Amino acid sequence: MVQVYLVFTTNHFPWLTIIVVLPISAGSLIFFLPHRGNRVIRWYTISICILELLLTTYAFCYHFQSGDPLIQLVEDYKWIDFFDFHWRLGIDGLSIGPILLTGFITTLATLAARPVTRDSRLFHFLMLAMYSGQIGLFSCRDLLLFFLMWELELIPVYLLLSMWGGKKRLYSATKFILYTAGGSVFLLMGVLGIGLYGSNEPTLNLEILANQSYPVALEIIFYIGFFIAFAVKLPIIPLHTWLPDTHGEAHYSTCMLLAGILLKMGAYGLVRINMELLPHAHSIFSPWLMIVGAMQIIYAASTSLGQRNLKKRIAYSSVSHMGFIIIGIGSITDTGLNGALLQIISHGFIGAALFFLAGTTYDRIRLVYLDEMGGIAIPMPKIFTMFSSFSMASLALPGMSGFVAELIVFFGLITSQKYLLMTKILITFVMAIGMILTPIYSLSMSRQMFYGYKIFNAPNSYFFDSGPRELFLSISIFLPILGIGMYPDFVLSLSVDKVEVILSNSFYR
Amino acid sequence: MEQTYQYAWIIPFVPLPVPMLIGVGLLLFPTATKNLRRMWAFPSILLLSIVMIFSINLSIQQINSSSIYQYVWSWTINNDFSLEFGYLIDPLTSIMSMLITTVGIMVLIYSDNYMAHDQGYLRFFAYMSFFSTSMLGLVTSSNLIQIYIFWELVGMCSYLLIGFWFTRPLAANACQKAFVTNRVGDFGLLLGILGFYWITGSFEFRDLFEILNNFFYNNEVNSSFVTLCAALLFTGAVAKSAQFPLHVWLPDAMEGPTPISALIHAATMVAAGIFLVARLLPLFIVIPYIMNFISLIGIITVLLGATLALAQKDIKRGLAYSTMSQLGYMMLALGMGSYRSALFHLITHAYSKALLFLGSGSIIHSMETIVGYSPDKSQNMVLMGGLTKHVPITQISFLLGTLSLCGIPPLACFWSKDEILNDSWLYSTIFGIIAWTTAGLTAFYMFRIYLLTFEGHLNVHFQNYSGKQNTPFYSISLWGKGGSKRINKNFRLLRMNNSKSSSFFSKKKKTYQSNENVRKRVGPFINIVHFENKKSYSYPYESDNTMLFPLFVLGIFTLFVGSLGIPFNQELDILSKWLTPSINLLHQKWNDSIDWYEFLKDAIFSVSISYFGIFIASFLYKPIYSPFKNFDLINLFVKTGPKRSLWDKIINSLYNWSYNRAYIDAFYTTSLTGAVRGLAQLTNFFDRRVIDGITNGVGVMSFFVGEGIKYVGGGRISSYLFFYLSCVSIFLLVFYFPVF
């Protein structure tokens, strides 16, 4: 008994393995549940999600020292001896934020998916499988494992999209899978290249790789390979066109996962692999990153203005917000990288919430195009309130998380030592123009949807305002946004030390 | 004493519980919260009164001892940079917080009655209290980032309140316009803040001033870059205070409820730009050119606002343009470096304009009962007239406000405006002439508003002369429930005017048509009440005491607040005492003895100009026979004969200039909005056709290639044989006959 207790309290207990494996293994049990309707499956899935979230929180509360920049909760089991492939997990300040975000958003997305009734066994299994894949990606410490996890969450997304999507679901699902699989090819090439370089036997351990140095030309080639893979996922223009189609067609719970977590995998990969493993190439490419980021902010914002489809407009706004992450990563400063990490978390909340609200609105009025909508604020005041709050958060209103993240990115850019004054001024200027375009599209979106007056005389127009489930969902996303906005140290304190370590290894120091 | 300062951080947070509670209540327990609706007004007024007592206490201490108190906490931990939150209590803060709380309380009391029957009553009080919070936060903030945060929050409150009646498309457009225009200013503000952070490495005001002074002293800074940053900072103030290029949002902001126009768009929020410039004046004063730039923008706004106010039909828009012009005076004063007179005018103007707006709200409230709930009619000065008989108390208070704004001696604005006029004369002759002229114009347009509203006969009853049919009384209730169908067409009273005027009304028709189906306002039950009322009395009636009390109090303020700046018995006046530390900060020589002879001479001159304006206004707009003939000032001159045609043309063009808002709005619509739309279309086209086109093209290509290969590799032996033999024969031909 004492021993069992000791096992639970010490670090040797395989917390991460359990966290990674639990959702998918519990999810596969769904198929063995008795046929008693969808209710059982829903409750089962939600309780698994909550259990997982609680487990994660518990493990991180009691076994994670936030001041320590080293990898913690390390687990290392030999898996395939033949080429030194290990099941190697571990977390640090960089990955703890995205893991908690994943837990939170996936739980809420499962809650949001309650209206789904068709094939709900498979649906919920896929949600749980994605859960595992994402947490596995954020917590793995092995390059090949990283690739496996990266591929693991593609398949659930493809199936979710092609089976529960809208009218053009097959087109967008195919587009999604082709784009991301195309990116994965480059990722695989990069992984194998780095793994096989140098020594006789392959090294896939991220810790060893982080201290390895390469010839510049080779490093640049690796960098480009990884960059393409992550640029598809993040997305970076011009590789972004899968995103509006995918988001436009997917069910809104899938959209929440896509916007909330999937996009962040690209950003995480950029930091984890491109910055940490290939610092030299990163410092060569960072000016281009900044330019692309600034262009992306403007480009996606102005494209968003031209969209008629509500979900596509929100999707382009996500693309625009990703520009800040790229600039933060490209600035190579403590402040900028912290801002980028904060933006990852913040946009995870805001994007998920906006897609959720757009989806619930669509469920009620069954209109896709913005210019057909109008005047639904009166029948649905709660959705109106929540949607306005989130669009305010999305346009970086102070007091909400988006503002802090963008402001910190701005500071990172300003204080960056690497760039000339003129380039800094230009890029800051362009970013700030994005600040003007953002309210134009997001406010006109909410104006076209809610403002004005319209008599709904169609016979089937019985609108009901959001019920307690939807209200709970949006409020529970809204509170962290406010919390981070008021006191950003909640999130910043997790990553500050790790960011310093990454940058101290960076080429420019 | 010290304790008051220590706890001053609480000032912004005192009104905060109200919006939080109402918001949570409305989201979670809507019915229960709505049942308690009138109860919610009480805590919001109470909390704001507590803040008022607090700030009065602070002000008294500031007057007596004049110390600056600052306290900061750190907000984010990071090794590279640290953001700090804190508060700064100095004379400027105490003046602004006094202003915000006093006007705020009056407006809250007023709007309890004004909004009583509105369905959004609770929402209104939540927004108002949140506005007080963020405005108080703005004035107590101790660094630029904090200013920026509250600056945006104030802008958001303004957005929400302009769009308060969101079912009206006009309001929806106006609130978006206001937010985006303000965002343009914020863009400049943020860039300016970042620029100064890059130069000095600090956000704190006093560090900023000292470091920059040192830089200039040692000549180690690129002065053009500093000037650029300062100009960008100033852009924020330009947008918020509705100065020349970015003023377009203010008149449209009048779509919001009238108490909002009084509090936010006349007294406090638009003064935030003035506040910012005043706060940063030590910074601006050391930078070359920027002061001239500020005063130039100020003088342009003064003139533009006054000319635009000349021919407004809507009473609130007229007042809005007048606000813009008066804000221009303050900006001008700041640009000239006369800190004291700018703040003095800020105070006096806030009270007078709040009084005027609340008065106009009272007028609108009483007009609504007879013309219906459309802002096109209830705010239309054409339909008013002769209200003196019906709303005497409102008339007296409105007259007080009008006279004060015109600059008639015992009233508040006279003292402050006179100082600005004198200073501008000393600063530059041209500016002086423009400022004096505008004083005359101010008197003219204010009295035009006053005379059209209160003198003559009630014009609504003449509507049948227009030949159009009657019964303009219909409304779809604002909140849409029980939306009755529209009964009649728009009546066009103004048809009977001469052809010139009808030409621009016909331009206006489009807007009339567009919002016809959304006729506004006030919850369903009040409609019924007033329909009944209307049958028995068809005259406007005076508002309730709850609305008259704030008018009364603000009238008293308007009468006596000027005494702040009058030097009694050869000592320093209260305002100068109050502002001593700030003035010392500016290192200016201050002549405390005022030459009474000079003062009297200038005063007589300015007052006579005002009287001249009033005289012309009463000459043109005084009702002689039919009040209709006098509405349009062209009418008078049409009768005087053909030789006046040149004069007529001038008047007409001035009229059109004012009516079309100096063509600036139209210009912005075509150029900027068009450009943004064009850009959006272009990028959208590019995105769909080119980038996505390549992707889809690759997909289609691979499809065809696959089909082709499938066809080729179809497994027919004969086709393989044919292919093989033809290849061989071509090869043989080429090989054996090299002659070809």
Side-chain angles (χ1 to χ4, degrees):
Chain A
M1 203 61 200
V2 177
Q3 260 182 336
V4 170
Y5 180 75
L6 273 178
V7 163
F8 270 97
T9 46
T10 48
N11 273 340
H12 301 295
F13 189 72
W15 284 111
L16 282 177
T17 309
I18 287 185
I19 288 170
V20 171
V21 173
L22 174 74
I24 192 163
S25 53
S28 55
L29 288 181
I30 286 182
F31 295 106
F32 302 109
L33 283 178
H35 281 277
R36 291 246 185 82
N38 298 324
R39 237 180 125 72
V40 183
I41 299 167
R42 277 187 219 137
W43 280 113
Y44 177 73
T45 317
I46 287 177
S47 48
I48 290 292
C49 284
I50 291 171
L51 178 69
E52 167 87 2
L53 182 60
L54 290 179
L55 203 64
T56 321
T57 326
Y58 172 77
F60 290 172
C61 275
Y62 290 96
H63 301 290
F64 184 81
Q65 277 84 38
S66 62
D68 190 358
L70 292 177
I71 311 296
Q72 299 176 44
L73 295 174
V74 183
E75 287 161 35
D76 193 345
Y77 305 110
K78 203 165 268 185
W79 190 353
I80 304 175
D81 200 21
F82 157 60
F83 57 92
D84 196 29
F85 178 42
H86 289 234
W87 174 264
R88 198 181 277 130
L89 300 175
I91 52 168
D92 58 0
L94 208 59
S95 50
I96 184 167
I99 290 178
L100 287 174
L101 178 76
T102 309
F104 195 74
I105 295 292
T106 313
T107 310
L108 291 181
T110 324
L111 193 60
R114 282 180 78 86
V116 173
T117 49
R118 193 159 63 85
D119 270 345
S120 76
R121 279 164 191 272
L122 184 58
F123 186 89
H124 286 101
F125 168 71
L126 291 175
M127 296 285 274
L128 288 176
M130 258 180 97
Y131 202 161
S132 276
Q134 283 153 347
I135 290 191
L137 181 94
F138 289 129
S139 62
C140 68
R141 297 295 306 162
D142 188 283
L143 209 50
L144 198 60
L145 194 59
F146 184 87
F147 176 73
L148 288 185
M149 291 296 181
W150 183 271
E151 294 296 301
L152 175 63
E153 49 64 46
L154 284 191
I155 297 142
V157 176
Y158 174 74
L159 288 177
L160 283 173
L161 194 54
S162 63
M163 294 179 70
W164 287 271
K167 280 175 191 153
K168 280 171 67 186
R169 56 178 181 268
L170 282 179
Y171 168 73
S172 37
T174 314
K175 201 168 179 178
F176 170 76
I177 200 78
L178 286 181
Y179 253 111
T180 41
S184 299
V185 171
F186 291 97
L187 182 63
L188 182 63
M189 291 196 309
V191 166
L192 292 180
I194 283 193
L196 298 175
Y197 173 76
S199 53
N200 292 328
E201 61 180 21
T203 44
L204 295 166
N205 191 345
L206 281 176
E207 258 132 313
I208 300 171
L209 291 173
N211 300 322
Q212 199 168 10
S213 60
Y214 308 92
V216 178
L218 194 63
E219 196 170 338
I220 288 174
I221 290 172
F222 287 154
Y223 189 90
I224 290 174
F226 282 114
F227 182 75
I228 290 174
F230 299 138
V232 168
K233 201 63 141 202
L234 189 57
I236 297 176
I237 51 169
L239 301 173
H240 65 279
T241 50
W242 63 272
L243 187 130
D245 280 321
T246 312
H247 283 69
E249 295 305 320
H251 185 258
Y252 57 81
S253 57
T254 318
C255 275
M256 285 171 76
L257 290 181
L258 279 171
I261 308 160
L262 211 70
L263 307 188
K264 294 2 178 235
M265 286 164 45
Y268 176 78
L270 269 183
V271 180
R272 176 64 83 195
I273 292 181
N274 285 13
M275 269 189 96
E276 218 177 336
L277 302 190
L278 311 165
H280 192 175
H282 184 69
S283 71
I284 293 171
F285 276 96
S286 57
W288 301 104
L289 275 184
M290 307 269 273
I291 291 170
V292 169
M295 271 172 58
Q296 173 162 346
I297 291 173
I298 299 291
Y299 177 84
S302 50
T303 317
S304 171
L305 263 177
Q307 299 298 317
R308 286 177 66 223
N309 188 324
L310 169 63
K311 278 183 163 179
K312 282 194 179 176
R313 187 173 274 203
I314 303 176
Y316 273 107
S317 90
S318 306
V319 179
S320 171
H321 283 108
M322 290 301 115
F324 283 97
I325 297 184
I326 303 172
I327 290 179
I329 291 175
S331 71
I332 324 192
T333 49
D334 265 5
T335 326
L337 190 54
N338 271 320
L341 294 177
L342 192 60
Q343 174 81 336
I344 289 178
I345 308 286
S346 136
H347 182 264
F349 289 122
I350 297 170
L354 277 178
F355 275 114
F356 167 70
L357 286 172
T360 47
T361 316
Y362 173 74
D363 275 359
R364 288 171 169 79
I365 57 175
R366 296 273 152 203
L367 293 173
V368 182
Y369 294 116
L370 279 171
D371 39 13
E372 294 166 356
M373 301 182 190
I376 55 170
I378 300 262
M380 308 180 213
K382 285 175 189 165
I383 292 186
F384 173 49
T385 315
M386 296 320 295
F387 197 91
S388 330
S389 322
F390 285 116
S391 43
M392 286 291 171
S394 150
L395 59 84
L397 191 79
M400 311 219 195
S401 56
F403 168 72
V404 187
E406 293 182 13
L407 189 71
I408 294 180
V409 171
F410 267 115
F411 287 138
L413 177 57
I414 287 290
T415 52
S416 168
Q417 305 290 325
K418 186 169 157 39
Y419 302 103
L420 294 175
L421 174 64
M422 209 53 217
T423 34
K424 275 198 282 191
I425 291 176
L426 272 181
I427 288 179
T428 318
F429 198 76
V430 172
M431 279 167 79
I433 288 177
M435 228 184 68
I436 300 178
L437 290 176
T438 316
I440 296 182
Y441 69 73
S442 70
L443 289 186
S444 72
M445 183 165 68
S446 101
R447 176 174 57 89
Q448 281 172 316
M449 282 171 74
F450 295 103
Y451 286 54
Y453 183 72
K454 197 168 168 185
I455 298 170
F456 296 97
N457 43 11
N460 57 350
S461 68
Y462 57 98
F463 295 139
F464 43 93
D465 205 359
S466 60
R469 178 180 60 91
E470 288 157 342
L471 200 61
F472 169 76
L473 228 160
S474 26
I475 288 177
S476 51
I477 299 184
F478 190 62
L479 289 182
I481 292 179
L482 270 186
I484 297 174
M486 301 280 176
Y487 195 68
D489 274 359
F490 281 138
V491 177
L492 285 180
S493 62
L494 294 175
S495 60
V496 164
D497 301 301
K498 179 66 188 172
V499 164
E500 262 176 42
V501 172
I502 292 178
L503 284 171
S504 63
N505 293 335
S506 164
F507 191 68
Y508 268 84
R509 275 296 161 111
Chain B
M1 286 296 112
E2 189 67 10
Q3 275 166 354
T4 330
Y5 283 120
Q6 259 173 14
Y7 290 106
W9 60 270
I10 212 169
I11 284 182
F13 297 105
V14 171
L16 193 60
V18 175
M20 281 165 64
L21 285 177
I22 293 183
V24 170
L26 277 181
L27 268 180
L28 300 180
F29 324 102
T31 38
T33 319
K34 274 181 187 156
N35 286 338
L36 293 173
R37 44 190 268 150
R38 291 300 282 274
M39 301 251 287
W40 284 104
F42 182 69
S44 39
I45 294 171
L46 177 74
L47 291 178
L48 207 55
S49 317
I50 293 173
V51 184
M52 184 180 74
I53 293 165
F54 213 133
S55 51
I56 287 174
N57 189 359
L58 280 180
S59 310
I60 291 170
Q61 288 180 30
Q62 286 289 335
I63 292 171
N64 289 334
S65 66
S66 314
S67 61
I68 295 176
Y69 190 88
Q70 187 175 9
Y71 191 83
V72 290
W73 296 273
S74 98
W75 183 37
T76 59
I77 42 163
N78 195 324
N79 298 344
D80 277 3
F81 79 110
S82 66
L83 290 182
E84 283 174 334
F85 260 18
Y87 61 91
L88 173 71
I89 305 291
D90 71 340
L92 189 59
T93 305
S94 58
I95 286 179
M96 288 299 287
S97 54
M98 278 281 285
L99 198 70
I100 294 159
T101 46
T102 42
V103 179
I105 289 172
M106 289 308 130
V107 168
L108 278 176
I109 294 173
Y110 179 91
S111 46
D112 173 52
N113 193 292
Y114 191 85
M115 304 297 288
H117 296 289
D118 200 288
Q119 286 195 5
Y121 181 85
L122 284 175
R123 209 156 45 90
F124 184 82
F125 271 84
Y127 290 167
M128 287 281 274
S129 298
F130 191 63
F131 170 76
S132 325
T133 302
S134 33
M135 193 69 205
L136 287 168
L138 176 65
V139 297
T140 50
S141 44
S142 72
N143 59 32
L144 280 172
I145 287 297
Q146 215 175 332
I147 284 226
Y148 181 80
I149 289 174
F150 287 112
W151 191 266
E152 287 267 293
L153 287 181
V154 166
M156 183 203 68
C157 289
S158 156
Y159 165 79
L160 291 173
L161 283 164
I162 294 169
F164 185 75
W165 285 314
F166 50 76
T167 45
R168 276 160 40 189
L170 280 182
N173 291 333
C175 66
Q176 194 184 346
K177 187 175 180 180
F179 197 90
V180 172
T181 317
N182 273 313
R183 236 335 163 51
V184 175
D186 297 344
F187 156 81
L189 185 62
L190 183 64
L191 285 182
I193 291 173
L194 290 175
F196 277 111
Y197 179 69
W198 188 78
I199 296 168
T200 63
S202 169
F203 297 117
E204 298 292 326
F205 294 122
R206 278 189 285 173
D207 297 352
L208 207 64
F209 302 153
E210 277 171 24
I211 294 172
L212 213 68
N213 266 328
N214 286 339
F215 275 158
F216 269 97
Y217 189 71
N218 301 331
N219 259 337
E220 49 182 67
V221 72
N222 184 357
S223 106
S224 62
F225 183 64
V226 175
T227 313
L228 177 72
C229 288
L232 283 171
L233 266 185
F234 178 60
T235 318
V238 166
K240 203 56 110 193
S241 287
Q243 301 295 299
F244 160 57
L246 298 175
H247 65 275
V248 286
W249 64 276
L250 187 62
D252 283 352
M254 296 299 132
E255 289 294 331
T258 313
I260 292 311
S261 313
L263 178 63
I264 298 188
H265 303 123
T268 54
M269 189 193 83
V270 288
I274 310 294
F275 166 78
L276 180 70
V277 178
R279 178 65 95 203
L280 295 176
L281 205 61
L283 178 80
F284 287 139
I285 229 164
V286 293
I287 300 169
Y289 304 120
I290 197 76
M291 294 296 274
N292 295 336
F293 182 62
I294 293 175
S295 52
L296 180 69
I297 293 285
I299 198 80
I300 290 174
T301 315
V302 166
L303 191 62
L304 188 72
T307 50
L308 291 185
L310 283 182
Q312 294 299 320
K313 206 157 55 80
D314 185 316
I315 184 169
K316 281 174 74 183
R317 292 207 172 181
L319 290 177
Y321 278 118
S322 133
T323 308
M324 175 185 152
S325 166
Q326 301 298 318
L327 288 169
Y329 271 120
M330 295 170 213
M331 208 52 105
L332 174 67
L334 285 174
M336 294 181 305
S338 46
Y339 186 78
R340 177 182 175 277
S341 47
L343 286 183
F344 193 17
H345 197 59
L346 176 62
I347 299 168
T348 54
H349 168 256
Y351 289 117
S352 314
K353 201 37 91 47
L355 175 65
L356 280 173
F357 264 113
L358 292 187
S360 78
S362 168
I363 295 165
I364 291 165
H365 208 62
S366 34
M367 285 300 285
E368 271 169 354
T369 53
I370 50 170
V371 295
Y373 295 93
S374 151
D376 276 340
K377 290 180 212 154
S378 61
Q379 301 178 13
N380 197 338
M381 287 192 290
V382 180
L383 302 182
M384 297 177 189
L387 290 180
T388 318
K389 286 188 288 257
H390 311 296
V391 287
I393 304 174
T394 310
Q395 185 254 337
I396 291 169
S397 54
F398 200 90
L399 182 64
L400 266 182
T402 311
L403 288 176
S404 159
L405 212 59
C406 295
I408 304 300
L411 293 161
C413 276
F414 162 72
W415 303 100
S416 54
K417 200 184 213 173
D418 204 52
E419 276 180 25
I420 296 180
L421 291 180
N422 286 343
D423 287 349
S424 69
W425 184 256
L426 295 179
Y427 181 72
S428 144
T429 321
I430 302 169
F431 282 18
I433 290 170
I434 296 175
W436 290 106
T437 322
T438 314
L441 282 178
T442 310
F444 175 79
Y445 67 70
M446 283 316 295
F447 257 81
R448 173 177 169 274
I449 293 174
Y450 172 76
L451 291 171
L452 280 177
T453 314
F454 289 105
E455 296 299 319
H457 303 288
L458 193 60
N459 294 339
V460 181
H461 297 304
F462 291 92
Q463 65 198 5
N464 289 337
Y465 290 139
S466 65
K468 288 285 164 187
Q469 80 305 76
N470 33 23
T471 58
F473 311 104
Y474 67 90
S475 71
I476 290 175
S477 79
L478 169 62
W479 303 110
K481 281 178 191 151
S484 56
K485 290 274 190 295
R486 211 165 46 73
I487 302 164
N488 65 328
K489 282 191 185 162
N490 227 341
F491 75 105
R492 293 210 179 75
L493 169 78
L494 300 152
R495 257 308 152 69
M496 58 169 306
N497 279 332
N498 56 19
S499 57
K500 267 172 206 152
S501 60
S502 76
S503 70
F504 56 74
F505 281 117
S506 63
K507 265 181 232 157
K508 202 71 184 151
K509 254 178 234 165
K510 244 179 263 164
T511 41
Y512 269 55
Q513 299 289 5
S514 66
N515 54 355
E516 240 168 317
N517 50 352
V518 227
R519 288 299 166 180
K520 57 152 282 202
R521 283 207 49 174
V522 173
F525 41 95
I526 193 166
N527 282 351
I528 299 159
V529 174
H530 286 317
F531 270 110
E532 282 164 4
N533 266 357
K534 185 226 117 202
K535 270 162 200 154
S536 41
Y537 337 98
S538 64
Y539 282 104
Y541 62 94
E542 185 68 285
S543 311
D544 281 348
N545 287 333
T546 334
M547 276 166 76
L548 294 179
F549 170 69
L551 287 181
F552 176 70
V553 176
L554 283 173
I556 289 176
F557 270 119
T558 310
L559 273 176
F560 296 113
V561 87
S563 61
L564 273 183
I566 311 170
F568 297 108
N569 56 24
Q570 290 305 318
E571 277 185 29
L572 273 179
D573 51 316
I574 299 173
L575 192 69
S576 300
K577 251 193 204 166
W578 203 344
L579 289 174
T580 322
S582 314
I583 291 167
N584 289 343
L585 202 64
L586 296 180
H587 305 295
Q588 277 188 337
K589 274 167 268 158
W590 204 256
N591 51 339
D592 14 18
S593 65
I594 289 175
D595 192 349
W596 280 101
Y597 170 69
E598 281 287 318
F599 174 74
L600 209 63
K601 198 181 73 183
D602 290 329
I604 287 174
F605 187 51
S606 73
V607 170
S608 59
I609 283 183
S610 301
Y611 273 120
F612 180 65
I614 294 175
F615 172 72
I616 294 191
S618 53
F619 173 65
L620 287 177
Y621 291 101
K622 198 177 166 209
I624 307 165
Y625 29 93
S626 164
F628 271 118
K629 299 274 162 78
N630 297 310
F631 163 63
D632 197 341
L633 65 106
I634 299 162
N635 279 351
L636 264 181
F637 296 98
V638 169
K639 286 190 211 75
T640 52
K643 64 181 174 183
R644 288 295 196 107
S645 62
L646 179 67
W647 177 240
D648 200 14
K649 250 180 210 163
I650 293 171
I651 292 283
N652 210 1
S653 62
L654 190 65
Y655 211 85
N656 279 335
W657 160 268
S658 163
Y659 203 85
N660 295 321
R661 305 158 158 217
Y663 306 102
I664 293 174
D665 283 40
F667 172 71
Y668 282 168
T669 314
T670 49
S671 62
L672 296 181
T673 320
V676 169
R677 282 222 180 102
L679 180 70
Q681 300 250 312
L682 186 72
T683 48
N684 193 20
F685 176 80
F686 183 74
D687 202 67
R688 280 187 50 203
R689 299 285 164 217
V690 181
I691 297 184
D692 212 17
I694 290 172
T695 317
N696 286 337
V698 170
V700 170
M701 274 280 288
S702 62
F703 174 75
F704 277 119
V705 170
E707 285 291 310
I709 290 172
K710 189 177 107 189
Y711 180 75
V712 172
R716 286 168 62 121
I717 302 293
S718 53
S719 61
Y720 285 160
L721 274 176
F722 174 71
F723 184 68
Y724 173 70
L725 285 177
S726 55
C727 281
V728 166
S729 52
I730 288 168
F731 179 72
L732 286 176
L733 276 173
V734 172
F735 194 74
Y736 284 107
F737 301 96
V739 191
F740 290 117

